[in-house]
Amino acid sequence: LSDSIGGSFSASSHRCHHKQKHCLPIPQCGALSISPLLFHPHTKGSQIIMDTTQKAVKRQASFCNAITFSNRPIVIYEQVRLKITKKQCCWSGALRLGFTSKDPSRINPDTLPKYACPDLVSQSGFWAKALPEEFANEGNIIAFWVDKKGRVFYRVNDSAAMLFFSGVRTAEPLWALIDVYGLTRGVQLLDSEIIPPDCLRPRSFTAIRRPSLRRETEDTRLSVSLCDLNLQEEAFHVTATTCPIPQNSLNSQHSHLLPSQLESDLRFHHLRGPHVKILDDQTVARLEHAREERTLVFTSRPLRINETIFVKINKSNAVRTGTLSYGVTSCDPSTLRPSDLPYNPESLVDRKEFWAICRVVVPLQSGDILGFMVNTDGELHLSHNGAGTGMQVCVDCSQPLWMFFVLHGAVMQIRLLG
């Protein structure tokens, strides 16, 4: 096995995880000495704190401004191995991983943007993607590497290799890029490893089991954050307060759960998924198709900080499974076309805006009233029939945020009350 500059690798770095696959030893390297892989000591985000060994970093505040790089170029098939040491559950989105052909020593740290995605990946010479949230747990060991064709793979602990993304230019030196974003608060670099390509049997994108909006679990948060926008689900259990109103009298008493006066300026945006119909002066959204994939609806204006938006479940079907998904996005729906709204929201992976999506975990019935509020700290809070269920997710409220809903499952019609 040869690296990109013609050297070969030491046999001591070879480890094959497939017992039935017999791999030839790697020739001893006489011309190339690979130093330990560390974090770059100077080029890092403003929120990054690094230990003296340059092997561990932690984001001290916020959820961004935490881009880091390796201290030296990696070689083809060198697995960059990270251990997640700290997780902070309130945020949406997780670790971003990738490579850059730009020498970090020549990058001014003050010019680093908040996010690897989409800010850096929109520039030439940077490639990165978000780790699915379900893998971003403390103690997990993540390995990622690039092959000679520019394809990037990753594995979690001892799992099989999975295709991550492609298109990396391998004709020039590459440094590892690690953005300690969102849920991921701290990571530690472990010793890198060189794995011969014949010892790897990566699975394709289509072979990876991906959660969808139809998956019925106790997951309350799906993350569609920045460049990845994969609707990956994170187990985030919320203890819901029991509704003090008897279920058989909810419809008659729900009016008492609302403020005496509601502002009536809020409507659904005219831009919507083709499987949804907007009725009653743009205040009602109704599922119009047996298929549920293209059912996104948006608010007509951005949210105001500390305002509570009240939504009523107009129609539910107990025979069907599933519940309401909701979230916020920095994407102005006026800039979208109906054709931009995918059959499966996972297809939003190519979009550049901030998206955070959650799911209502309490059972919903016709007549139920939900309240949604984003406070000054970016915490999105949910109430159900007047009872608070707590903070659901933290969002970036430094920019305008529109709210959106995804009708599916038992929830077939909702109304914006104000």
Side-chain angles (χ1 to χ4, degrees):
L1 178 68
S2 298
D3 78 309
S4 58
I5 56 176
S8 55
F9 305 123
S10 169
S12 62
S13 63
H14 165 220
R15 188 176 75 184
C16 179
H17 295 276
H18 301 279
K19 295 181 180 179
Q20 296 180 353
K21 185 81 172 180
H22 298 287
C23 303
L24 296 174
I26 302 177
Q28 291 291 332
C29 171
L32 179 65
S33 175
I34 302 178
S35 60
L37 194 68
L38 307 173
F39 285 106
H40 196 279
H42 307 301
T43 307
K44 58 186 187 296
S46 60
Q47 293 299 322
I48 284 292
I49 299 175
M50 186 180 301
D51 73 350
T52 56
T53 68
Q54 294 176 227
K55 288 189 174 183
V57 294
K58 183 173 70 173
R59 190 183 69 248
Q60 59 182 338
S62 183
F63 64 96
C64 55
N65 285 306
I67 295 172
T68 64
F69 302 92
S70 62
N71 67 324
R72 63 160 173 82
I74 56 91
V75 292
I76 303 302
Y77 297 108
E78 178 179 6
Q79 294 197 10
V80 181
R81 299 172 64 243
L82 294 166
K83 182 177 181 179
I84 298 177
T85 58
K86 184 67 175 178
K87 180 179 178 181
Q88 188 172 8
C89 289
C90 74
W91 296 112
S92 175
L95 197 65
R96 277 89 166 104
L97 304 172
F99 297 97
T100 178
S101 59
K102 308 297 183 182
D103 184 347
S105 297
R106 299 189 177 187
I107 299 175
N108 182 347
D110 296 334
T111 65
L112 286 176
K114 286 184 176 182
Y115 317 110
C117 306
D119 298 349
L120 279 184
V121 296
S122 63
Q123 302 176 30
S124 175
F126 294 92
W127 304 269
K129 188 174 172 64
L131 181 74
E133 283 190 33
E134 62 189 75
F135 301 142
N137 295 319
E138 285 185 18
N140 276 358
I141 295 176
I142 314 298
F144 67 101
W145 64 97
V146 63
D147 71 3
K148 62 183 180 181
K149 296 181 179 180
R151 299 176 300 180
V152 177
F153 301 89
Y154 77 100
R155 64 153 48 106
V156 182
N157 299 323
D158 292 323
S159 70
M162 292 177 282
L163 180 62
F164 203 13
F165 59 91
S166 59
V168 177
R169 295 196 302 268
T170 58
E172 47 196 327
L174 294 170
W175 286 259
L177 188 164
I178 300 159
D179 187 357
V180 188
Y181 176 85
L183 293 167
T184 311
R185 184 76 181 272
V187 296
Q188 177 186 355
L189 270 176
L190 306 179
D191 291 340
S192 61
E193 296 181 350
I194 310 295
I195 303 295
D198 289 343
C199 289
L200 298 172
R201 293 175 177 174
R203 293 186 288 172
S204 68
F205 279 118
T206 56
I208 303 173
R209 179 189 61 79
R210 305 184 70 86
S212 71
L213 290 175
R214 293 181 177 179
R215 182 182 175 191
E216 295 310 314
T217 67
E218 292 302 312
D219 297 347
T220 71
R221 180 177 58 217
L222 309 176
S223 174
V224 190
S225 262
L226 301 172
C227 74
D228 59 288
L229 300 181
N230 290 326
L231 293 183
Q232 302 293 344
E233 302 187 55
E234 166 75 25
F236 184 76
H237 301 288
V238 177
T239 304
T241 307
T242 303
C243 177
I245 302 173
Q247 291 295 317
N248 59 6
S249 63
L250 280 177
N251 291 342
S252 62
Q253 297 193 35
H254 274 177
S255 60
H256 300 292
L257 301 177
L258 298 171
S260 57
Q261 291 185 341
L262 281 174
E263 294 186 11
S264 58
D265 68 320
L266 194 65
R267 298 286 189 275
F268 285 117
H269 199 278
H270 62 83
L271 186 281
R272 66 187 188 279
H275 296 160
V276 178
K277 189 171 184 179
I278 304 297
L279 306 166
D280 201 4
D281 195 25
Q282 300 288 108
T283 63
V284 172
R286 184 174 71 194
L287 186 63
E288 284 287 292
H289 200 289
R291 298 172 65 182
E292 305 169 354
E293 294 91 343
R294 305 185 76 179
T295 60
L296 279 164
V297 291
F298 300 81
T299 56
S300 57
R301 63 163 172 81
L303 306 177
R304 300 180 183 125
I305 298 300
N306 290 326
E307 78 170 336
T308 300
I309 293 176
F310 292 97
V311 174
K312 183 178 181 180
I313 307 301
N314 266 14
K315 185 178 179 181
S316 64
N317 187 341
V319 176
R320 305 177 68 176
T321 58
T323 185
L324 182 71
S325 292
Y326 62 94
V328 297
T329 178
S330 64
C331 178
D332 182 348
S334 298
T335 65
L336 299 174
R337 300 165 299 177
S339 59
D340 293 328
L341 303 179
Y343 282 96
N344 190 329
E346 291 183 30
S347 300
L348 291 167
V349 64
D350 294 327
R351 296 209 61 86
K352 303 289 188 180
E353 307 88 2
F354 176 84
W355 297 70
I357 302 184
C358 306
R359 175 178 292 175
V360 179
V361 294
V362 294
L364 295 176
Q365 301 182 20
S366 297
D368 283 4
I369 293 177
L370 302 173
F372 304 91
M373 185 268 290
V374 174
N375 64 20
T376 53
D377 294 324
E379 300 173 349
L380 193 159
H381 287 257
L382 169 70
S383 65
H384 175 232
N385 295 332
T389 62
M391 181 188 70
Q392 305 301 296
V393 68
C394 289
V395 300
D396 181 5
C397 60
S398 64
Q399 52 192 322
L401 295 173
W402 284 258
M403 193 161 191
F404 64 89
F405 302 90
V406 185
L407 296 176
H408 60 94
V411 179
M412 304 181 69
Q413 183 171 303
I414 60 175
R415 176 185 292 272
L416 279 174
L417 297 177

